[in-house]
Amino acid sequence: MSIETPKSNEIKRLTTPLTIKDFKAYDSQGKLLKCSETISDVRFIVEPRPHILNDNEILQYAPQSKSASQIRLKRGFGNIQDILLVHESLPWILGLYYVALICAAIPIVFSKFIFGMYLVLVLIILPLLYLYYIFNFKKYTKYTVKEPVKEQVKETKKAETPVQAAPVEESSGFESFKKYEKEINNLKVVFDVKEGVVRDLIEKRFEPPQITYDKFISAIDSCHKLFYAQSDSALSIINLAVEDTPRVRDEIDSKIGAMKKIINQIEDLTNELVINISSSSESPDEVKNLLDDMENLIESVKEY
């Protein structure tokens, strides 16, 4: 049984499908979401709350949010869509600005007032300079380029003392598995959140006691056992491996692949249940297909 924490609650809020009612969108806690509009896109976005998730977690659990766009731009791999999302009101403000400017400029042009025409020209150019500043990607990365340099200088100073040079080599094997351990722990958080969501949806769609409810819950219980069996097995390999070899890495990758497969199937089931709940159709075939998918998943993962 997973313990509810502010972080897990926030991840659950970000990853739970939205509720649409009367053309309005609400998150899992019933909060009304603001519609975000860019030139090419209109959507509802669940924004992460401040001071709960770190930057990597925001990119993982809320990749479409404005906060994630700001992080991508800051790290130097953002794109124009990220800039438009961060400055989503800018196109509409510029549009109104130029409409007002044209209306004001027409009488000035016809009166041939030279000073006024120069002023209009300056007012036309100023927003263009601001746009150049906004869409200059180097502006977002100049702050992050300096930080690694400082860290590198500090590490170089530490490396100057011969006492600290030896332990780096001794821990290199352990460090090579750090990324696997971190990925596994992240997947466990994701699974716990998605498992809680799908259990709530099953209970909502098939109120107990029902045979269908029992079958679904039994399938989810099996997925839970399989997921943590793969997780425990992968962590055991990481902790017990005496050296870093391709065979060891392949085995860990296989376990992580099985974990991801279970999470993806849980997510697919969640989406199907959301559609099924909101639909008036209660076709037995649809329910049977959902159960078949879960059973096929369980059998396939057992082969890992």
Side-chain angles (χ1 to χ4, degrees):
M1 192 74 180
S2 59
I3 300 173
E4 292 290 331
T5 63
K7 180 176 286 191
S8 64
N9 284 332
E10 179 67 2
I11 294 172
K12 182 176 180 180
R13 187 180 73 88
L14 293 172
T15 55
T16 301
L18 304 181
T19 301
I20 307 296
K21 185 178 180 182
D22 298 330
F23 303 103
K24 295 180 180 179
Y26 302 86
D27 64 13
S28 61
Q29 297 177 355
K31 182 181 178 182
L32 181 65
L33 299 177
K34 177 186 174 185
C35 179
S36 177
E37 298 183 49
T38 62
I39 293 176
S40 59
D41 193 15
V42 178
R43 55 184 166 173
F44 294 99
I45 300 175
V46 184
E47 285 291 335
R49 296 191 179 104
H51 313 306
I52 297 179
L53 304 180
N54 59 38
D55 287 355
N56 291 332
E57 289 166 339
I58 290 174
L59 290 174
Q60 181 176 0
Y61 303 116
Q64 304 300 319
S65 66
K66 186 182 295 186
S67 299
S69 291
Q70 292 171 335
I71 294 168
R72 281 191 291 269
L73 290 169
K74 182 181 176 183
R75 292 185 175 184
F77 59 90
N79 55 30
I80 292 177
Q81 290 298 325
D82 290 318
I83 295 176
L84 289 174
L85 183 59
V86 172
H87 304 278
E88 59 179 315
S89 59
L90 186 61
W92 318 114
I93 293 174
L94 286 177
L96 291 173
Y97 173 84
Y98 277 112
V99 168
L101 184 60
I102 290 170
C103 292
I106 290 173
I108 295 175
V109 172
F110 279 106
S111 65
K112 297 182 180 181
F113 180 42
I114 302 300
F115 177 77
M117 293 173 69
Y118 277 118
L119 180 61
V120 169
L121 183 62
V122 170
L123 292 176
I124 290 174
I125 293 174
L126 281 177
L128 298 178
L129 294 174
Y130 181 69
L131 282 176
Y132 174 78
Y133 172 76
I134 290 294
F135 284 89
N136 182 12
F137 288 102
K138 291 181 180 179
K139 135 181 148 56
Y140 298 101
T141 58
K142 65 181 179 181
Y143 301 106
T144 55
V145 172
K146 294 179 181 178
E147 293 176 0
V149 174
K150 291 179 181 178
E151 292 176 3
Q152 191 174 356
V153 171
K154 290 179 182 178
E155 289 175 4
T156 306
K157 288 180 179 178
K158 291 180 181 179
E160 288 175 359
T161 58
V163 181
Q164 295 180 356
V168 175
E169 231 178 273
E170 291 177 2
S171 63
S172 60
F174 176 79
E175 289 296 326
S176 66
F177 290 123
K178 276 286 187 182
K179 64 175 184 178
Y180 288 118
E181 191 172 359
K182 184 178 180 180
E183 184 176 8
I184 290 168
N185 289 331
N186 285 338
L187 289 173
K188 286 163 72 174
V189 173
V190 174
F191 177 80
D192 288 342
V193 170
K194 292 186 180 296
E195 181 188 14
V197 171
V198 79
R199 285 182 184 273
D200 291 342
L201 288 172
I202 290 171
E203 186 170 354
K204 185 182 292 186
R205 177 62 182 82
F206 311 105
E207 292 184 9
Q210 283 190 44
I211 295 176
T212 308
Y213 170 83
D214 293 337
K215 287 182 177 180
F216 267 115
I217 292 299
S218 176
I220 298 300
D221 289 340
S222 297
C223 286
H224 181 96
K225 291 178 182 177
L226 285 171
F227 180 88
Y228 277 96
Q230 299 296 321
S231 168
D232 294 342
S233 178
L235 290 174
S236 295
I237 294 172
I238 291 172
N239 293 329
L240 299 176
V242 294
E243 58 180 338
D244 185 350
T245 64
R247 184 179 177 185
V248 172
R249 285 180 175 270
D250 288 343
E251 192 64 26
I252 296 172
D253 286 334
S254 175
K255 303 297 181 184
I256 291 176
M259 294 168 67
K260 289 179 178 178
K261 190 173 182 180
I262 294 172
I263 289 174
N264 289 337
Q265 188 62 52
I266 291 288
E267 193 170 42
D268 290 343
L269 176 61
T270 300
N271 293 331
E272 289 294 334
L273 285 172
V274 169
I275 295 171
N276 197 263
I277 289 171
S278 59
S279 172
S280 58
S281 170
E282 297 186 2
S283 170
D285 292 336
E286 293 178 2
V287 177
K288 184 178 182 301
N289 289 336
L290 291 174
L291 281 171
D292 289 343
D293 288 342
M294 293 304 297
E295 290 171 357
N296 291 335
L297 166 72
I298 293 167
E299 292 303 318
S300 64
V301 172
K302 285 180 179 178
E303 296 175 2
Y304 279 80

